[in-house]
Amino acid sequence: MQSVLQRGTAPVPGAWLPAGSRWPLAAVVLAVLIGLLNPLAGLAAFLAASVWLAWVSLPLALGLYILLAPYPLGPVLHHHKFFATDMLALAMAAVLLWRVWRGGGFRAAWETFLTREYRAPLLLLLALSVLSLAVALSRFGTTVKILEYIEFFVVVVALFKVSGRDRSTWETYLYAFLLTAAVMVVYGTVQYLFALGPASNQIAGGYHVRATGLWGQPNVFGAFNEFLFPLVLGLLAFGPRDLKRGWLAAGLAVLAWGVVISYSRGAWVGDAAAVGFMGLAAIFTWRREPLARWLPRYAFWGVGVPVLAFLLVTGLNHLHLAHVYTPVTFHDRGASSRLLSTVTAVANPRSSYDTIQRLLIWKTALAALLSHPLLGTGLGNFHLYIAQHPPKGLVGGIPPMAHDLYLEWGADLGVGGILAALWLQWRWVTAPLKVLAGRYGALDRFWYGLGLGAFGTVVAFIVHDWVDFLIDHGVVVPLLLALGLIAALASGRREAERHEA
């Protein structure tokens, strides 16, 4: 299987610029320029260039997917955004399917695209999504969402999985993420310092905006950095000494800064949970060093750097007290007050504006579930339901989602959607723990550090999605890398044992 996947992708493992890759890359750039003049023509040209690029090098195409993930490139058709990365994923899926089918037929394709670790709950989720078409409030919208889920959890996870254990390839994936995150954080920092974001986000003491990046939503901006933070943390704390630690340390600092200036409570709590559970997992699975040796290093990167970023942001708030850009009615007074309100909002929900609004949205999502318990309102259709049944007191327009993964899938897919969410997330958590415990063979320092980081990314995603719903373009890609990595570490040992047998 592995030899079939490597054929035609690169002359040697990890070669990211194989011979002949310059012309398809030039074609991709040309397609983007065409899209600036004619979006539909540009999308078609981008698809053709992506097939060419994927044929020359699947890892290179996947790296480009990572770099372009946060950018909203592409036209709007029937009120739905079609991204350039959708075309890139379609091209990579076609090339990968062609190669695995030629190498092993239907069984090889089944094993490649439907990863064993997550297969059963994912099939349940997709089956419920297809069944929801029968009652969907918007069949076109549900169809688009089904295709998105196939892109994310079938195609992209499979592409990461078949990268195998080629360390240089995974390092390049990670550096591609750090590059695009750095661009986003610089843009978000400019918004934060000079109040260039939407007025509705000017709640950081009334003197700054919550950084939104290109998504226009601070929670999504914070989540993208939040999901990447554990991956870098794992490598810095447990990875080998021959890593480019200076670049990784700079990347970790940038990610921590991005999480803090987003003022996203979900991102703050998600990364705190990730750091805590990663530490617990390391206590029970890391055998190369005594606890007293690795814990200070882990605490410095996982706790010290974020705390330093938080203190710097708090200091900036005080320096800008004289610069009131827009009068607002919120009562937050900077990072420290928002952190305190994160705790008090749990004990007294009525004291928090955000919590009040979410309670109204959650109540409506529960009403949608109770009124459509079997098939739901159709995958991705909760925003249509709440538009038809707006709760009294809802401010700021119709929300695009239910701000909770379980309630979103419950409203969209019925009771089965909640069961699918619980089952799928159980697999997401247990699979990396089995890998870290050595169930599929021993891991060296690089794979252990990256695998531990993947576990942290899953934890951050699950915790944050209690108060948001973050399965969307760009922001979900770090999670897909984590899922694909764990599948690669698990399947590699199984394939080796199969060949030996």
Side-chain angles (χ1 to χ4, degrees):
M1 174 69 69
Q2 190 65 21
S3 61
V4 173
L5 297 177
Q6 289 176 347
R7 187 182 305 155
T9 61
V12 294
W16 267 74
L17 287 175
S21 64
R22 293 177 178 84
W23 286 112
L25 281 174
V28 168
V29 175
L30 178 61
V32 173
L33 295 177
I34 294 173
L36 298 177
L37 302 176
N38 187 317
L40 289 178
L43 202 64
F46 191 87
L47 176 59
S50 297
V51 172
W52 188 7
L53 180 64
W55 186 261
V56 172
S57 174
L58 274 171
L60 182 59
L62 186 54
L64 182 62
Y65 184 92
I66 292 171
L67 287 174
L68 296 180
Y71 303 102
L73 301 172
V76 176
L77 300 174
H78 296 283
H79 309 290
H80 288 273
K81 181 77 172 180
F82 288 84
F83 293 83
T85 48
D86 294 332
M87 301 298 101
L88 187 53
L90 179 60
M92 292 188 291
V95 171
L96 181 59
L97 178 61
W98 169 260
R99 288 179 177 156
V100 298
W101 193 279
R102 290 188 65 190
F106 173 79
R107 181 177 179 180
W110 176 268
E111 291 291 336
T112 299
F113 284 95
L114 289 170
T115 301
R116 180 180 303 184
E117 283 67 35
Y118 326 118
R119 182 182 300 157
L122 180 58
L123 286 174
L124 174 61
L125 175 64
L126 293 177
L128 291 171
S129 301
V130 173
L131 290 174
S132 73
L133 282 167
V135 295
L137 299 180
S138 170
R139 288 187 173 87
F140 180 80
T142 295
T143 301
V144 170
K145 280 296 179 184
I146 293 173
L147 293 175
E148 284 183 357
Y149 279 30
I150 293 174
E151 173 188 335
F152 296 154
F153 298 113
V154 177
V155 174
V156 178
V157 171
L159 286 163
F160 280 121
K161 180 183 75 172
V162 299
S163 298
R165 292 199 184 191
D166 181 27
R167 173 176 159 177
S168 62
T169 297
W170 285 96
E171 285 181 343
T172 312
Y173 290 154
L174 189 60
Y175 288 123
F177 266 124
L178 291 180
L179 176 60
T180 196
V183 173
M184 297 294 290
V185 171
V186 168
Y187 181 48
T189 300
V190 172
Q191 291 177 314
Y192 167 76
L193 291 176
F194 302 104
L196 298 180
S200 61
N201 287 330
Q202 295 184 11
I203 64 175
Y207 311 112
H208 299 281
V209 299
R210 297 170 68 187
T212 64
L214 293 174
W215 282 288
Q217 290 290 335
N219 292 320
V220 181
F221 171 83
F224 184 70
N225 297 288
E226 166 200 3
F227 300 156
L228 287 174
F229 182 87
L231 291 166
V232 182
L233 171 61
L235 280 179
L236 277 173
F238 297 97
R241 296 188 179 278
D242 61 342
L243 284 172
K244 299 177 181 177
R245 304 186 72 84
W247 286 106
L248 288 176
L252 187 81
V254 168
L255 295 173
W257 177 264
V259 171
V260 174
I261 64 171
S262 72
Y263 280 83
S264 169
R265 293 186 179 98
W268 292 359
V269 175
D271 263 347
V275 172
F277 280 99
M278 286 171 65
L280 287 175
I283 289 174
F284 291 103
T285 61
W286 183 243
R287 299 288 182 261
R288 292 175 179 263
E289 297 174 289
L291 178 67
R293 186 171 180 181
W294 65 259
L295 186 58
R297 183 174 68 240
Y298 180 77
F300 172 77
W301 295 116
V303 180
V305 172
V307 168
L308 179 60
F310 183 84
L311 293 176
L312 289 174
V313 170
T314 302
L316 277 177
N317 287 339
H318 291 294
L319 290 175
H320 285 71
L321 288 179
H323 303 289
V324 180
Y325 299 109
T326 302
V328 291
T329 58
F330 298 97
H331 300 294
D332 291 303
R333 289 294 178 267
S336 57
S337 177
R338 190 164 180 81
L339 180 62
L340 178 62
S341 66
T342 303
V343 179
T344 57
V346 176
N348 184 15
R350 296 294 175 182
S351 66
S352 169
Y353 167 83
D354 290 337
T355 305
I356 293 173
Q357 294 299 300
R358 274 175 168 75
L359 287 173
L360 293 173
I361 297 169
W362 293 339
K363 182 179 178 180
T364 307
L366 184 59
L369 170 63
L370 294 176
S371 61
H372 302 78
L374 296 180
L375 297 179
T377 61
L379 184 66
N381 284 181
F382 169 71
H383 71 285
L384 299 177
Y385 179 89
I386 196 172
Q388 297 173 2
H389 307 83
K392 184 179 180 180
L394 186 65
V395 179
I398 300 301
M401 36 81 169
H403 284 282
D404 179 272
L405 177 67
Y406 309 104
L407 290 176
E408 175 77 22
W409 282 357
D412 287 354
L413 305 174
V415 175
I418 297 178
L419 296 178
L422 293 171
W423 191 7
L424 193 59
Q425 292 186 355
W426 172 254
R427 290 289 186 89
W428 288 354
V429 169
T430 55
L433 290 177
K434 291 177 182 178
V435 167
L436 295 173
R439 180 76 62 87
Y440 304 102
L443 302 175
D444 63 24
R445 296 184 71 104
F446 178 83
W447 296 116
Y448 182 88
L450 198 57
L452 184 66
F455 170 67
T457 295
V458 168
V459 170
F461 178 87
I462 292 174
V463 171
H464 193 158
D465 275 56
W466 290 343
V467 294
D468 278 309
F469 182 73
L470 297 164
I471 300 177
D472 206 354
H473 281 79
V475 66
V476 76
V477 183
L479 172 70
L480 305 181
L481 178 140
L483 298 178
L485 171 70
I486 295 303
L489 295 177
S491 64
R493 171 59 61 172
R494 283 198 301 265
E495 288 185 7
E497 292 174 349
R498 190 181 305 119
H499 284 301
E500 290 173 2

